Amino acid sequence: MPGEFKGKVVVISGGSRGIGRGIASAFAREGAQTVLASSSEPNLAAAAKVVAAAGPAPLTVAGDLRTLAACEQVFNLVNERFQRCDVLVNNAGATRSGNFLDMPDAAFHDGFALKYFACVRLSKLFWPMLKAAEGRVVNIIGGAARTPDPLFLVGGSVNAAMANFSKGLSGLGKKDGVNVNVIHPGLTETDRVTTLLQQRAQASGITPDEARKQVMEKDGLRRIGQPEDVAELALFLASERARHIQGAAIGVDGGQTTGLF
């Protein structure tokens, strides 16, 4: 419904590029005041122009979301400016792909620090506002939570942990009136996927184009997903039409995920 989110505040971590920017643009199109959090000021500035072209100009905040201090910075800014949060989209996170035996220990720590702990911290900080608004949490995770891959053990482990956390949090959401749901994107056309394919190609001794073709052929994909595919589902899950959807995990992957759950 056009303008459904007018006057509502939507906080999006990892909102400066790819899926996060696509989600921000979709909410702005429907009238929402978006807040974009990311580590890169130049990327945020570029994203702000794109989002503002779709609707209200976003508020941006740059910080290293691997730290509690940066997560608190996002919350404090939203609290000072708006005193409310209607939707929290946890989208920040970039984990490495590659040969497990060559993967440094720091890669696991870094993966959990950004994607998992930022989700946990932001959810905890914003929960009172979300409860007051009877709001929504939409966690953008990934199909590797369901389909382990020996070349993506960092990301798969982080995603599985985040999925477990999300399901548990939805139990609290039932009591507090906050809907918590998960989107598992598959292969999606973003800068992040380009980097992952390059890492996979290096680990396998092939070219990035061959790695892309392998993934598509392996999973029988006819196309690569677009950020807008994920954004439209996020918009729906945050809407009144999805009020009875709680604790669900939905794949947007063209059938790429083969697991049952």
Side-chain angles (χ1 to χ4, degrees), residues 19-35:
I19 290 173
R21 187 176 66 188
I23 290 173
S25 295
F27 275 104
R29 185 187 72 218
E30 301 301 327
Q33 171 61 63
T34 56
V35 180

Side-chain angles (χ1 to χ4, degrees), residues 15-16 21 36 38 40-52 58 60-62:
S16 67
R21 187 176 66 188
L36 313 184
S38 179
S40 170
E41 288 188 5
N43 287 344
L44 282 169
K49 293 179 181 178
V50 174
V51 175
T60 63
V61 52

Side-chain angles (χ1 to χ4, degrees), residues 1-259:
M1 181 181 298
E4 179 177 357
F5 293 93
K6 185 176 181 179
K8 295 190 175 183
V9 176
V10 180
V11 178
I12 304 157
S13 69
S16 67
R17 296 192 301 172
I19 290 173
R21 187 176 66 188
I23 290 173
S25 295
F27 275 104
R29 185 187 72 218
E30 301 301 327
Q33 171 61 63
T34 56
V35 180
L36 313 184
S38 179
S39 61
S40 170
E41 288 188 5
N43 287 344
L44 282 169
K49 293 179 181 178
V50 174
V51 175
L59 180 68
T60 63
V61 52
D64 184 357
L65 294 175
R66 292 174 298 182
T67 68
L68 174 59
C71 293
E72 290 175 334
Q73 179 186 4
V74 176
F75 171 77
N76 290 336
L77 185 61
V78 172
N79 190 38
E80 290 169 8
R81 291 287 297 273
F82 308 115
Q83 297 84 50
R84 67 179 295 162
C85 175
D86 298 275
V87 181
L88 172 64
V89 180
N90 287 303
N91 176 69
T95 54
R96 289 182 56 180
S97 178
N99 190 314
F100 170 61
L101 298 180
D102 297 331
M103 197 71 66
D105 186 69
F108 283 86
H109 287 278
D110 186 72
F112 274 94
L114 180 56
K115 190 164 186 176
Y116 178 78
F117 281 108
C119 170
V120 171
R121 290 164 175 160
L122 290 172
S123 297
K124 185 175 182 180
L125 287 164
F126 281 102
W127 195 262
M129 287 185 179
L130 291 162
K131 180 179 178 180
E134 294 190 348
R136 310 288 201 276
V137 176
V138 180
N139 290 335
I140 311 300
I141 303 181
R146 298 166 160 172
T147 309
D149 185 328
L151 291 177
F152 197 52
L153 289 177
V154 177
S157 300
V158 173
N159 288 1
M162 192 172 167
N164 188 286
F165 169 76
S166 301
K167 186 65 174 178
L169 188 64
S170 72
L172 179 61
K174 285 194 294 184
K175 181 173 75 73
D176 287 349
V178 180
N179 287 47
V180 181
N181 292 294
V182 164
I183 299 177
H184 287 310
L187 192 65
T188 306
E189 199 72 63
T190 64
D191 293 341
R192 171 68 185 143
V193 164
T194 298
T195 299
L196 284 175
L197 289 173
Q198 289 171 345
Q199 293 172 347
R200 180 179 289 268
Q202 184 177 10
S204 303
I206 57 179
T207 68
D209 284 342
E210 288 172 332
R212 176 187 291 258
K213 184 177 180 181
Q214 275 188 3
V215 171
M216 293 185 68
E217 289 180 347
K218 170 180 172 290
D219 297 316
L221 296 178
R222 299 177 63 182
R223 65 186 285 269
I224 292 178
Q226 299 299 312
E228 293 76 18
D229 298 326
V230 181
E232 290 304 317
L233 178 57
L235 203 65
F236 171 72
L237 289 174
S239 73
E240 284 301 316
R241 292 164 291 168
R243 171 51 70 184
H244 205 55
I245 301 177
Q246 173 73 280
I250 305 172
V252 181
D253 61 7
Q256 183 177 10
T257 303
T258 57

